[in-house]
Amino acid sequence: MSTIKLKKVQEISLIGILAAVNIASRLYLQALPNIKPVTSIIILSVFIFGLAFAAKLTIVTTIVSDIFLGFGLYTIFQILAWLVICVISDFIAEIARKKGKMPPLILMAIFCALMGYVFGFVVSFEKLMVGGPIMFWTYYLSGLAFDTLHALGNFVFYFICAPIMIKTFVRESKKLQ
Amino acid sequence: MNKTRKLLIVGIIVSLLVIVVCSFVVPSISKEDVKDTSSKIQQTQQKDEGKKDEHASSNEESKKDTEKTPEKSETKTDQKQEQANQSSVPNSSSSNMDSEGTKEETKDPTEDVKDPIVETISIQVSIKGLDGAVFVQEAAQVEKGYSAFDALSLTCTKYGMPIQTSGFGKFVYVQAINGLKEKDYGAKSGWKYNINNAYVSSSSGAYILQENDIMEWYYVYD
């Protein structure tokens, strides 16, 4: 599959819609720790719309949702973590583009789950900055349970999000052009 | 397409480098601080030894020392009395009084060494939940320079009560204490604090506690 090329207006409106989904999920799934579709949606948007779109989506999602959830030094690191995930999944997306189709659903879901651990690792860099390596490792290891929940959430939400997003956007893209 | 990827990779690598550099800078500062304080302590010890010698030799020096000593001994007895009250052992306070009456001059040098490390101030802490239900009410000792929030978190960890906050430093905001959350009882409900029964306009992270302050945390409805 190839990335869908969007006009400027379409891009802005799509970023708005997907960011709204992300923000709503971050606000209203607060009861479930780290189980949120945000990472899955970002990875899918890298595959469908390309890296630049996903990067913009990441920044909008993080900043707007942190207006409600509270700003901190971690805001920067959340953006950084999701950008790292974007870049990693872009390498996979390039392989998929060469082959001309999406990788199997289960493989992609496992990839999403791994990205949950990557996210936890990068966000922990905040403590490296504040308190040195010892604080970083203690913080990371104590957060490993929540990373596992994040991975589990990604795995589940990929199965929900992937069929919906790929089908709708590929179908709509034919109408748009 | 490739441009954005290159840009992002470069950006991520640069930010990671900044983080690593920061992680090296921050601990080095703290180590220097530790060295400074330890050297200061050594200096004070040397001074005290010098004082002892002079005290033995000349009368004028001894007068100065005795002028200084009563204040310090008073503060120390106060602290000890309060500690004794908390631990509810009445004998220890009286024994301290006796021992200080006799060994006042010999004890003082050790006090001078202890004072620069931890200067404590005594405050009253009370945390009140719904309808003034008292969670905690006690006299506490905190380090000098502690903010109202620091004292709160110290008390809460002492009693095993979890607190939820957002923000950090001077911008800290207390969301919940011991499971009682803001907005649980109406949109405007939440935690507030008084110092000496008066409203304080600054954040709890910004207010620095004074000697004998009465800090009260309470929950308000709409």
Side-chain angles (χ1 to χ4, degrees):
Chain A
M1 60 172 284
S2 60
T3 54
I4 298 165
K5 281 173 187 170
L6 297 166
K7 290 172 195 166
K8 207 76 188 174
V9 181
Q10 293 166 348
E11 193 184 347
I12 289 166
S13 53
L14 263 176
I15 286 172
I17 292 163
L18 287 175
V21 173
N22 285 345
I23 293 156
S25 72
R26 281 195 81 184
L27 291 183
Y28 288 97
L29 292 179
Q30 269 183 336
L32 308 171
N34 275 353
I35 300 177
K36 294 179 181 82
V38 180
T39 313
S40 307
I41 289 174
I42 284 170
I43 289 168
L44 275 167
S45 65
V46 171
F47 277 80
I48 299 169
F49 301 111
L51 183 61
F53 181 92
K56 289 167 198 166
L57 176 64
T58 298
I59 292 164
V60 172
T61 300
T62 318
I63 289 173
V64 178
S65 61
D66 278 8
I67 286 172
F68 297 103
L69 298 170
F71 276 100
L73 197 59
Y74 53 83
T75 308
I76 299 160
F77 286 88
Q78 283 171 347
I79 293 172
L80 189 70
W82 272 318
L83 287 182
V84 168
I85 290 169
C86 285
V87 170
I88 293 169
S89 49
D90 189 48
F91 283 108
I92 307 259
E94 198 172 67
I95 298 164
R97 272 171 223 138
K98 276 176 188 169
K99 283 188 177 177
K101 61 177 182 181
M102 280 292 281
L105 205 64
I106 293 171
L107 278 181
M108 275 304 297
I110 290 165
F111 171 74
C112 280
L114 285 177
M115 286 304 110
Y117 288 102
V118 171
F119 183 85
F121 188 72
V122 178
V123 165
S124 302
F125 278 129
E126 183 199 345
K127 297 295 166 192
L128 188 69
M129 207 167 159
V130 175
I134 298 162
M135 195 172 172
F136 166 71
W137 284 113
T138 46
Y139 184 80
Y140 174 65
L141 292 175
S142 62
L144 216 55
F146 287 95
D147 291 349
T148 311
L149 280 175
H150 192 185
L152 200 78
N154 287 350
F155 189 81
V156 172
F157 273 114
Y158 188 81
F159 282 107
I160 301 168
C161 295
I164 300 168
M165 276 184 71
I166 291 169
K167 271 181 192 170
T168 49
F169 287 122
V170 170
R171 194 186 297 156
E172 290 299 314
S173 70
K174 284 169 191 166
K175 283 183 192 173
L176 290 171
Q177 281 153 11
Chain B
M1 196 46 234
N2 275 326
K3 264 187 187 174
T4 54
R5 189 198 290 175
K6 273 179 196 168
L7 216 130
L8 276 179
I9 289 170
V10 168
I12 288 163
I13 287 167
V14 166
S15 52
L16 284 179
L17 277 176
V18 169
I19 292 160
V20 170
V21 167
C22 279
S23 75
F24 279 111
V25 169
V26 172
S28 67
I29 289 168
S30 63
K31 272 176 194 170
E32 282 170 5
D33 286 344
V34 171
K35 278 177 192 171
D36 283 345
T37 50
S38 62
S39 64
K40 275 179 190 169
I41 292 162
Q42 283 179 352
Q43 283 174 1
T44 51
Q45 274 178 335
Q46 286 171 356
K47 276 182 187 173
D48 290 330
E49 282 167 9
K51 272 184 187 174
K52 263 188 183 175
D53 296 337
E54 287 166 8
H55 180 69
S57 62
S58 67
N59 290 324
E60 287 179 7
E61 294 291 327
S62 68
K63 274 181 185 174
K64 281 180 187 173
D65 271 13
T66 46
E67 278 173 9
K68 285 175 190 171
T69 46
E71 296 172 5
K72 282 163 191 169
S73 61
E74 274 175 18
T75 53
K76 214 200 168 185
T77 48
D78 284 345
Q79 287 173 8
K80 275 186 178 168
Q81 277 176 338
E82 278 172 12
Q83 284 171 2
N85 288 336
Q86 281 174 17
S87 57
S88 69
V89 183
N91 290 327
S92 64
S93 66
S94 63
S95 65
N96 277 326
M97 293 285 280
D98 292 340
S99 65
E100 280 196 5
T102 53
K103 298 175 184 177
E104 203 177 53
E105 286 175 356
T106 51
K107 257 192 169 184
D108 281 334
T110 52
E111 283 171 26
D112 284 329
V113 179
K114 277 176 187 172
D115 280 339
I117 305 168
V118 187
E119 281 190 74
T120 56
I121 53 172
S122 50
I123 54 161
Q124 296 277 334
V125 181
S126 63
I127 303 172
K128 288 173 182 174
L130 279 176
D131 300 326
V134 178
F135 288 173
V136 177
Q137 191 154 26
E138 62 154 16
Q141 296 276 326
V142 294
E143 278 179 42
K144 207 174 184 182
Y146 261 39
S147 66
F149 174 73
D150 290 334
L152 173 74
S153 59
L154 196 78
T155 319
C156 284
T157 45
K158 188 176 163 190
Y159 285 91
M161 298 194 302
I163 55 173
Q164 251 183 53
T165 58
S166 67
F168 57 91
K170 286 186 176 178
F171 308 103
V172 74
Y173 174 68
V174 177
Q175 289 175 317
I177 300 175
N178 203 13
L180 187 58
K181 250 188 128 176
E182 57 159 348
K183 291 169 189 169
D184 276 358
Y185 295 87
K188 287 178 187 172
S189 62
W191 284 95
K192 293 179 79 175
Y193 80 109
N194 276 350
I195 300 289
N196 300 332
N197 294 320
Y199 173 73
V200 183
S201 59
S202 58
S203 158
S204 61
Y207 181 82
I208 304 299
L209 289 166
Q210 308 292 325
E211 180 78 34
N212 296 326
D213 268 355
I214 301 166
M215 185 176 77
E216 185 189 25
W217 283 84
Y218 58 100
Y219 191 84
V220 289
Y221 298 93
D222 274 332

